[in-house]
Amino acid sequence: MVRLLIAVAAAAALYFCDATPTQSSYVLHEKREITHPRWMKRDRVHSSVKLPMRVGLSQSNLDRGMEYLMDVSHPGSSNYGKHWTAKQVVDAFAPAEETVQAVRDWLTFSGISGDRISHSDSKGWFAFNASVSEAENLLKTEYHRYEDQETGHSIAACESYHVPEAIQKHVDYITPGVDLRVPNRLNPEKSKLAKRDSPAKHDPIKVVEMPARVDLANLSTCDIAITPACIRALYKIPLNNQTAQPGNEIGIYENGDFYAQEDLNLFFANFTPYIPQGTHPTLDSIDGGEAPVPLSEAGGESSLDFQLAYPIIYPQGATLFQTDDINYSNGNISRVGIYNDWLDAIDGSYCNYTAFGETGNSPTLDPVYPDPLPGGYKGQLQCGVYKPTNVMSVSYSTQEYDKPEYYQRRQCNEFMKLGLQGHSIFFSSGDTGVAGRPANPAPIGCLGPNSTIFNPRYPDNCPYLTVVGATKVYPGFTVFQNESAANDPAGSPYTSAYSTGGGFSNIYSPPPWQQSAIDTYFSEHSPPYPYYSGNESLGANGGLYNRSGRGYPDVSANGDNIAVYVGGKAGLEGGTSASTPIFASVVTRINEQRLAAGKGPVGFISPALYAHPEVLNDIVNGSNPGCNTNGFQAVQGWDPLTGLGTPNFPKMVDLFLSLP
């Protein structure tokens, strides 16, 4: 549930000690305008009940995050490649000392003694326990018990609260407060220890049998099945004859999908005999994540990721970020959140990061550990236990529509901070063209009362990620000719239709490195659809897409008719889940050469690619239909289905070796 805030402008910038906290100096800070019908307001909470209070402090410099990232990521900057340390990131965005002191003074003046107040390691919030009587007096409010009519779960909350006008600008939010969110709940339709069958966090994997006429020995049938040899030929990638650079393993995220070692061995034996049998990723198990699994439980997503990455990066290795225990992975406990536990595990400061009214993981959207169910992970939430890899590939995404905006923005800020530290993060653009998944929120996956408005993806909307669309070698074409945007009608060959995802965010504006490319696209290739501008005007004037939104994808790679082994059987898969690990592996190879030359990793790569689109193969044919339209068309230059194009490995190497 997205809460509605009423913003009240702060007055003069005064230290709290210069103001008298009288009743008249208090102003409204937050008010809940609408209460979801699931929540029933009950009796007042007794004055002696203790509440775990959290005061989120206003952070510094969040508005400068994009500027900071551009400074270390744009090839024209004198600071290109001078990535920050984790401590520099924390210090840059920590609340100002003025903020910390003003809020502390207010709390102590109001009777919350200093020895009761703890300050988080991330510096983003104060915590203390207070009686209801103390909290009501502090915030000039009343606390009631609110009961969830579906689960019986109840929490303490208020309809509004107030803070002194002099410190309002220093306070982000306070809990318990106005927030009422729907909690996780058991799913009675799932057995307690069911076979691993994840609630979909990625588009359904599309698989067909391997055609008998595929010639694995040469490139003559790459229009039928894409093998590692076909990928090398498409993007001019030589075999990696270098010694693997320590610490440059590719990172691959998985959630609710699992690989079987037998599948990797079969793939290596048939397609890449130069990779030894038994080669496998290093498991970074997050909150009970398990892998590998028996062949009967192997998933198409994990198999695809590693069978595409290893042939490009070997002898370099891979790290598997396998998230969540069996109960959350297979849906025994329902939840709609994603990525937070992974981000917690690779950045300890994120566990308590305060932004947009949220500190740490959402107790109603994200998994909660320890998990008391049989087979559940009994440890505490893992914070900062693993090191993020230089390059990370994620083939899981949902719709922007699915998640509260505050949840998305908090994660997007974290992706920015990882980029500042030199990490490249790649996400898939989705497999349903301009639409979302069917039945989300409508049978054809589109927005609006008539299901006509295009449905952008999350977290692809975040400008601090490099998003990868999919291309295809069409029948009768070769790897030495231009590819086209991936687009397969239902039944040709997959059961469901598939087209590379792309479009424009309803939340974020185009970042500065992309603005010129989008302006050119609209001025020279304006789509034939009505549009609107901004999320507030969604669908206005019959508009189908947001003309002022961040466009995606940024780049693309082959994502159709990919040869794989899953469950011991050879087959073909399609999806941007394939194109993403390909592009991420290419960047891992580039980092290998930069590290060997004594340089650092490329980090957030999008600004450099938008500044030098000549290092990519422009895709000018195809479309990504959805929402009963033909979607967008591939054109010269950037477009919202193939981005800037596919990798040209030699040109990319030359560019990035020329940069400091």
Side-chain angles (χ1 to χ4, degrees):
M1 181 192 309
V2 180
R3 61 184 189 175
L4 182 60
L5 307 182
I6 289 187
V8 182
L14 299 174
Y15 286 92
F16 183 78
C17 57
D18 293 331
T20 302
T22 61
Q23 174 72 35
S24 61
S25 71
Y26 274 70
V27 293
L28 180 67
H29 194 63
E30 285 193 272
K31 179 180 180 181
R32 184 184 343 104
E33 297 289 354
I34 300 174
T35 299
H36 193 283
R38 277 184 59 170
W39 290 103
M40 180 65 69
K41 185 177 180 180
R42 299 299 190 186
D43 51 311
R44 284 278 298 274
V45 182
H46 192 275
S47 62
S48 64
V49 170
K50 295 291 185 180
L51 298 177
M53 305 299 295
R54 299 292 184 270
V55 179
L57 305 175
S58 299
Q59 296 183 77
S60 302
N61 300 317
L62 280 180
D63 59 329
R64 300 187 64 188
M66 189 170 290
E67 171 193 340
Y68 293 154
L69 188 57
M70 279 281 282
D71 190 45
V72 298
S73 305
H74 195 282
S77 169
S78 60
N79 290 319
Y80 177 84
K82 297 178 181 178
H83 299 121
W84 295 16
T85 65
K87 184 179 185 304
Q88 285 176 307
V89 170
V90 170
D91 290 346
F93 298 105
E97 184 56 36
E98 174 192 358
T99 290
V100 174
Q101 192 60 49
V103 176
R104 187 186 294 273
D105 286 347
W106 166 54
L107 295 176
T108 56
F109 184 93
S110 301
I112 310 299
S113 61
D115 59 353
R116 294 168 58 187
I117 303 170
S118 62
H119 194 186
S120 67
D121 292 340
S122 65
K123 306 180 182 179
W125 48 270
F126 283 134
F128 56 93
N129 292 327
S131 68
V132 168
S133 176
E134 288 178 308
E136 290 184 340
N137 180 64
L138 180 72
L139 303 176
K140 312 307 177 194
T141 189
E142 293 182 353
Y143 280 97
H144 285 76
R145 184 173 62 89
Y146 286 81
E147 182 179 344
D148 181 350
Q149 298 300 288
E150 292 189 16
T151 67
H153 174 79
S154 63
I155 63 174
C158 56
E159 294 183 350
S160 64
Y161 66 87
H162 303 73
V163 298
E165 185 176 21
I167 71 153
Q168 187 181 38
K169 68 175 183 178
H170 300 299
V171 175
D172 182 5
Y173 73 103
I174 297 174
T175 64
V178 300
D179 236 356
L180 292 173
R181 300 175 187 175
V182 179
N184 287 327
R185 58 188 183 279
L186 294 180
N187 185 345
E189 297 180 359
K190 293 279 186 177
S191 64
K192 288 186 176 180
L193 290 175
K195 177 179 178 289
R196 291 171 175 85
D197 182 17
S198 169
K201 299 293 182 183
H202 55 76
D203 290 303
I205 297 297
K206 289 154 275 293
V207 186
V208 295
E209 292 184 1
M210 177 76 75
R213 64 185 186 279
V214 172
D215 187 345
L216 305 183
N218 59 52
L219 305 176
S220 62
T221 55
C222 290
D223 60 333
I224 300 173
I226 294 291
T227 65
C230 298
I231 294 170
R232 289 197 302 272
L234 277 168
Y235 307 131
K236 302 177 182 177
I237 308 170
L239 290 174
N240 189 4
N241 296 319
Q242 291 185 299
T243 300
Q245 294 294 313
N248 192 44
E249 298 82 5
I250 190 173
I252 294 179
Y253 168 97
E254 303 291 351
N255 179 277
D257 191 280
F258 314 87
Y259 85 93
Q261 185 62 46
E262 294 90 334
D263 282 333
L264 294 187
N265 291 341
L266 282 168
F267 185 86
F268 297 153
N270 285 277
F271 293 104
T272 56
Y274 56 89
I275 300 179
Q277 293 287 286
T279 299
H280 65 276
T282 298
L283 173 63
D284 281 2
S285 171
I286 298 173
D287 300 332
E290 298 178 4
V293 296
L295 201 61
S296 61
E297 297 182 358
E301 182 63 66
S302 298
S303 300
L304 185 67
D305 285 333
F306 290 108
Q307 292 172 28
L308 284 168
Y310 268 117
I312 298 174
I313 66 170
Y314 186 82
Q316 186 52 269
T319 295
L320 166 59
F321 296 111
Q322 187 78 50
T323 60
D324 291 331
D325 70 15
I326 186 63
N327 295 312
Y328 285 103
S329 293
N330 70 8
N332 282 353
I333 306 175
S334 67
R335 58 85 193 260
V336 296
I338 189 171
Y339 312 126
N340 272 347
D341 46 2
W342 166 51
L343 295 174
D344 290 333
I346 63 175
D347 178 7
S349 70
Y350 185 72
C351 285
N352 295 317
Y353 172 51
T354 298
F356 305 103
E358 188 90 294
T359 293
N361 289 8
S362 168
T364 57
L365 299 177
D366 295 315
V368 177
Y369 294 106
D371 174 4
L373 289 184
Y377 170 66
K378 298 302 188 287
Q380 296 297 316
L381 183 76
Q382 292 182 289
C383 294
V385 296
Y386 299 118
K387 181 180 178 181
T389 53
N390 291 335
V391 174
M392 290 174 274
S393 175
V394 186
S395 295
Y396 296 69
S397 63
T398 58
Q399 285 70 232
E400 194 176 69
Y401 171 89
D402 290 342
K403 304 291 184 293
E405 185 171 330
Y406 70 84
Y407 188 90
Q408 299 183 48
R409 287 189 178 275
R410 180 175 177 270
Q411 287 186 349
C412 190
N413 273 1
E414 176 66 7
F415 293 133
M416 175 267 291
K417 294 177 180 181
L418 288 169
L420 274 172
Q421 296 172 69
H423 303 289
S424 307
I425 309 175
F426 296 88
F427 268 80
S428 59
S429 72
D431 301 347
T432 50
V434 298
R437 293 187 195 139
N440 196 350
I444 60 173
C446 304
L447 302 176
N450 299 315
S451 299
T452 57
I453 301 172
F454 299 170
N455 194 355
R457 303 284 290 202
Y458 147 83
D460 304 333
N461 54 355
C462 176
Y464 306 124
L465 301 172
T466 303
V467 180
V468 188
T471 55
K472 175 179 181 175
V473 176
Y474 274 80
F477 285 76
T478 74
V479 292
F480 306 108
Q481 296 172 286
N482 290 337
E483 295 178 83
S484 298
N487 179 11
D488 298 325
S492 302
Y494 311 110
T495 302
S496 59
Y498 158 47
S499 62
T500 180
F504 300 90
S505 170
N506 284 321
I507 294 178
Y508 299 99
S509 300
W513 55 86
Q514 187 189 49
Q515 188 66 65
S516 177
I518 285 188
D519 289 345
T520 298
Y521 171 73
F522 284 133
S523 65
E524 298 182 4
H525 310 284
S526 185
Y529 310 119
Y531 58 86
Y532 54 92
S533 293
N535 194 25
E536 295 77 11
S537 59
L538 180 76
N541 303 314
L544 302 187
Y545 68 97
N546 181 18
R547 186 88 161 197
S548 59
R550 180 270 207 267
Y552 72 95
D554 300 294
V555 294
S556 53
N558 196 280
D560 209 354
N561 297 325
I562 307 292
V564 294
Y565 273 89
V566 181
K569 298 179 180 179
L572 301 179
E573 288 190 14
T576 54
S577 293
S579 53
T580 306
I582 291 176
F583 208 103
S585 297
V586 167
V587 176
T588 298
R589 283 284 299 273
I590 293 170
N591 280 341
E592 288 282 280
Q593 297 200 35
R594 281 182 58 88
L595 292 169
K599 302 183 178 187
V602 298
F604 179 50
I605 200 172
S606 291
L609 295 180
Y610 278 95
H612 291 281
E614 71 276 4
V615 302
L616 300 168
N617 306 310
D618 193 12
I619 306 300
V620 297
N621 182 60
S623 62
N624 62 343
C627 302
N628 294 320
T629 73
N630 290 326
F632 299 111
Q633 301 293 313
V635 297
Q636 185 176 357
W638 181 88
D639 54 63
L641 62 164
T642 64
L644 296 168
T646 61
N648 184 312
F649 185 73
K651 291 183 178 181
M652 291 180 71
V653 169
D654 288 345
L655 170 64
F656 287 102
L657 285 183
S658 73
L659 296 175

